[in-house]
Amino acid sequence: MSESVAYREFSPPEYLSGELRLDEPMSRHTSWRTGGAADYMYFPHDKQDLVQLLKALPKTMPVVWIGLGSNLLVRDGGIRGMVIQVSSGLKKIVVLDDCRLYAESGASSANVAKAAASNKLKGAEFLASVPGSFGGALAMNAGAFGDETWHCVESIECVDRSGECTIHEKEAVSHGYRQVELPGDCCILAATLVLEMAPDEYDGQQIIRDQRKRRNASQPVQTANAGSVFRNPERDHAARLIEKCGLKGYAIGNAVVSDVHANFIVNRDRKATSRQIEELILYVQDIVEQNAGVRLVPEVRIIGDGQ
């Protein structure tokens, strides 16, 4: 941890019930299994504990939010400030009246899908094929099988850097394909979804099993990866463009363009560095632009200090 930062001596108040770690390796918390250490990392016990932490933090301390660490590349130099891992405690999923479902951001997307299907609510099955946390799916409008997270959102609950919580209706939040513009400096705590009541013959769990079987057959699910690396260009697919450029299997160090799906970069034998992965992302962008005239836009979030 840097000795020069103003918040070097931060200690959590006794009333907090979560866990604080210092110099925590981010490779333990990302699906790419890379990344340097965070100065501080907090695992909140629940939503109220998280709010109390934010109110206690020095105003000079940067805050980074993560869920289950998919769709995320942390650079090898690590992260300055506080990383808050919401998936440790914000996991509540509750079925409300009128086909509505409330889920906190730390719940896995898969568990949200399963809870809806178990209660005969249809429309969220695709979430079982979205890796990572529900909060991450909300923050980037993640999708699968032609559907997107924000199709079924009614409202979101957010918290800002000072610990102030607010509710935002769907219409008040700008969102589109793989992008969401959250109001101010805030993080999503939870969302309410509006789904459909399914008929008696509906078997949502079977739909989920079928979709995941299709996903597992077409993606490198047994490797360390972060999901799709690039957004699909309009009326095209990033994987098609990458494969057309002959980049399947291309490697920089132990970062490799997957032979199974060209829009995945895998950490071979978990020996790649974040720098190698980032260099490969840039290389793929350059080659596709040179050959196809399209500059691919990364879908993954890249944060932290380089080395």
Side-chain angles (χ1 to χ4, degrees), residues 109-169:
S109 296
N111 282 345
V112 174
K114 292 173 183 176
S118 295
N119 287 276
K120 292 292 185 179
L121 297 177
K122 60 183 297 188
E125 298 87 353
F126 73 96
L127 282 170
S129 296
V130 174
S133 67
F134 181 51
L138 288 164
M140 65 169 292
N141 196 16
F145 300 105
D147 214 336
E148 294 181 339
T149 306
W150 276 74
H151 284 171
C152 50
V153 169
E154 178 184 75
S155 64
I156 58 172
E157 180 181 0
C158 295
V159 64
D160 66 18
R161 176 62 178 76
S162 66
E164 185 72 23
C165 296
T166 52
I167 302 292
H168 303 272
E169 300 300 319

Side-chain angles (χ1 to χ4, degrees), residues 29-31 33 66-70 85-87 106-109 131-134:
H29 305 284
T30 62
S31 59
R33 299 295 182 241
I66 72 166
L68 292 169
S70 62
Q85 206 259 35
V86 297
S87 293
S108 71
S109 296
S133 67
F134 181 51

Side-chain angles (χ1 to χ4, degrees), residues 7-22:
Y7 44 81
R8 179 65 175 87
E9 301 301 328
F10 171 75
S11 297
E14 292 184 359
Y15 54 76
L16 294 179
S17 52
E19 178 186 0
L20 178 68
R21 299 181 190 174
L22 277 64

Side-chain angles (χ1 to χ4, degrees), residues 156-187:
I156 58 172
E157 180 181 0
C158 295
V159 64
D160 66 18
R161 176 62 178 76
S162 66
E164 185 72 23
C165 296
T166 52
I167 302 292
H168 303 272
E169 300 300 319
K170 176 179 181 176
E171 294 74 17
V173 181
S174 177
H175 58 276
Y177 173 67
R178 300 297 181 269
Q179 58 183 346
V180 177
E181 295 180 18
L182 295 175
D185 181 18
C186 70
C187 174

